[in-house]
Amino acid sequence: MSESIIRRINELSQAARMLALIGAALKLRNADAGDPAIRQEIDAGLRLVLGSADIAIADAELTPLLTKIDMALTESAELFKHPARSAGWQVEDQDLLLAMGRASGQAFGRILALAESRPSLRKALDGLFLDVGTGVGGIALAAAQSCPRLRIDAIDIWEPALRLAADSVAASGHAARIQLRKRDVTELEAGPRYTLAWLPTMFLKRSVLNQAVDRIVAASRSGSWLVAPIYTVPDEPFAALMSSLRTLRGGGELRDPAELTTLLRSRGYGNIEVDIGPISSFVIGRLA
């Protein structure tokens, strides 16, 4: 192996450890815990990495930053440990499931932000929310906490995630408004009841996605909203490659918001917009 490759691997290995050290320092920032000698070393490491042990971060920014670091480290570890696993959602690693749940929970904050300038979407937050692919319940719990009148129908087919979700919901104080069910979205019962639906397209084959949208339409009220996230494809080549890999390993196929927009429009959705985020972009529309 050439010296340049070895040098590059050494650099990246050190970068991974630096990211872990920053995350550790952030976790300990407001905590009175840990061995003082170890904390001293972590602070010393932080000064080496960032030039200061005093990171000027507002409390409101702390959780999103920790979630980003958590996701980067756990997702990378899962890829390294299981590079040969087939496409599709088959993750059993509890740490990765919980990390993804924490990350997805923040997505509901984006829905709230979109609702601020869209009165009909804001009104939908007082009705019945369909959380497709709820996983460990991150979005369902965030929705229940943020919207006291919203009821949530949270469905998934992956039992390892649903078991974790059941524990979290039971401990949350919101169990009365969150119904967890093992249910495939393509088998969703008809009948107009949902005012808002979340459909993570990055985990669905095109054929399944078509069926899923049909079933959601059949189960939604007139004027209801659909939020369909899709992984953002950045301009930077490596980030774009990772976005594509994340979609493929998750079992998805769709990567172009324009294709998703066409699909929703063909099913009767209007007022379609694309809200671009660093990790995922939301394609949102309102049913006629």
Side-chain angles (χ1 to χ4, degrees), residues 52 55 63 71 78 87 115 118 121 164 170 191 237 240 271 287:
S52 172
I55 308 176
T63 297
M71 226 6 240
E78 197 276 338
R118 296 165 179 79
L121 178 55
L164 294 171
N271 305 111
L287 193 62

Side-chain angles (χ1 to χ4, degrees), residues 32-81:
D32 185 19
D35 185 306
I38 293 176
R39 291 193 65 155
Q40 185 176 352
E41 288 296 298
I42 289 175
D43 288 341
L46 202 60
R47 282 190 292 271
L48 288 173
V49 174
L50 298 179
S52 172
D54 182 19
I55 308 176
I57 298 173
D59 288 343
E61 298 173 318
L62 190 59
T63 297
L65 280 177
L66 282 171
T67 299
K68 183 176 292 188
I69 293 172
D70 188 12
M71 226 6 240
L73 294 174
T74 53
E75 183 182 38
S76 300
E78 197 276 338
L79 174 59
F80 177 70
K81 292 176 182 177

